[in-house]
Amino acid sequence: MDHGEYCKALFREIDRLAALLSDADLTTPVPSCPAWDLAKLAGHVGSTERWVTAMITSGSTEKLPFAEFEEGIPAEATGLSDWVAAGVDGLIGALVAAPAHQQVWTLGGTTRPTAFWARRMLHEAAVHRVDAALALGVSASIDPVVAKDGVEEILTILPFAPRLAGFGAVRGDGQSIELVATDVDARWRIEIGSASFDWRPTAAGQEPTEATVTATATVSNLYLFLWGRPSVPQITGDSSLLARWSATTAF
C-alpha cells in the first residue's frame, strides 16, 4: 500500500466506525477493550485523530501531551459519532499537505516521515472498528489487502510499544513462529532471540527449518489474532509459545 491508499482506507474505516456508533447505545461494553464502553472507544479514537493531526501540522519532533486532546471529547454521547467522523477530515488533510520529507515524533520517540501516521492510523481505526462491531454483535470484515499490511505493521511497531516492558516472557534462543495465510499468498517467520525478535516475509519451502509453532488462518484472522482480538488460527507445534506471545504482545 502507498500513502494515498493508506489515506483512502483510513477514511473508509473511520466512516464505517462512525456509522456503527451513530445508532448505538454508547454505554455498551466493549469486551475486546476491558473497562471501555463504546463512548470511551469513540473518545479514544477521536482524541487520537486530533493528537496525530496536531503532531503533523506542527511538525513536532516531541510527543504532544495526549491528555490535552482528551479534553475536547464531547460531553454529550450523542455527538460522539459525528465528532469521530469529523476528525478524519483534518487528519487526512494534514497527511496529504505535509511535505514528504517532514519528520515528526512517532512511537518509541523516534522521528519518522509523517507518512508513518497514515499507516498507523489506518490500523488504529480498523482494529477499533472491529472492537465496536464485536461489542454490537455484528459482523466486521477486514479487507485482505489492509490485513496483510497490518500483519507487517504490528510486527514493525511492537518493539516500540511502551506496554511491552514484559516482552521478556517470550524471549528465547531461536524459537520461531510461522504465520501462514490461507486466502492470500503470504506467510511470515518470527524468530525469537534472547534480547529481541526479528521477522520477515517468507515463501513456502523457503525456510531451512520447521517453525517451533505455526499458526494458519485467513490473513484477516491472523491480523486480528496478532492484535489480541477473537480469532482462533489452526495451530501446529508448540502452542505454549504462541500463547506466551499472545499474552505478552496483544494490545
Side-chain angles (χ1 to χ4, degrees):
M1 299 180 70
D2 61 25
H3 185 61
E5 290 169 331
Y6 285 132
C7 290
K8 290 176 183 177
L10 167 59
F11 182 86
R12 289 194 298 269
E13 287 296 341
I14 291 293
D15 187 57
R16 291 166 182 165
L17 172 59
L20 285 172
L21 296 171
S22 63
D23 296 321
D25 176 358
L26 298 186
T27 65
T28 302
V30 181
S32 50
C33 298
W36 279 16
D37 58 14
L38 286 175
K40 181 71 174 177
L41 183 150
H44 171 77
V45 172
S47 298
T48 304
E49 289 173 318
R50 290 159 175 82
W51 175 64
V52 172
T53 300
M55 207 97 64
I56 295 168
T57 56
S58 67
S60 180
T61 56
E62 301 291 332
K63 183 180 180 180
L64 298 180
F66 186 72
E68 293 181 7
F69 297 89
E70 292 181 305
E71 294 172 1
I73 297 173
E76 294 296 325
T78 53
L80 279 169
S81 63
D82 288 343
W83 184 70
V84 168
V88 78
D89 294 331
L91 174 56
I92 290 177
L95 286 165
V96 170
H101 63 273
Q102 178 175 291
Q103 301 279 315
V104 295
W105 181 91
T106 66
L107 300 183
T110 303
T111 58
R112 297 182 178 89
T114 55
F116 168 92
W117 284 112
R119 187 188 203 191
R120 175 80 290 280
M121 288 303 295
L122 163 59
H123 296 296
E124 177 83 1
V127 171
H128 285 317
R129 195 253 305 170
V130 170
D131 290 330
L134 289 170
L136 294 169
V138 299
S139 62
S141 61
I142 298 286
D143 182 329
V145 173
V146 171
K148 181 179 178 181
D149 181 80
V151 168
E152 299 192 354
E153 196 257 356
I154 189 172
L155 292 175
T156 299
I157 68 170
L158 275 176
F160 305 104
R163 72 176 296 278
L164 296 184
F167 188 69
V170 289
R171 289 181 182 167
D173 54 5
Q175 291 91 341
S176 58
I177 299 170
E178 189 91 0
L179 304 173
V180 180
T182 57
D183 56 336
V184 298
D185 183 16
R187 56 199 298 149
W188 300 266
R189 174 68 68 102
I190 303 167
E191 300 281 357
I192 301 171
S194 60
S196 62
F197 74 91
D198 294 311
W199 69 272
R200 60 186 178 275
T202 64
Q206 183 184 67
E207 294 297 330
T209 59
E210 185 175 344
T212 310
V213 61
T214 299
T216 303
T218 65
V219 70
S220 297
N221 281 338
L222 289 174
Y223 174 61
L224 294 175
F225 173 75
L226 288 175
W227 278 104
R229 269 50 182 188
S231 173
V232 183
Q234 178 181 341
I235 299 171
T236 305
D238 183 2
S239 60
S240 66
L241 175 62
L242 199 62
R244 292 199 305 276
W245 171 277
S246 297
T248 311
T249 63
F251 284 76

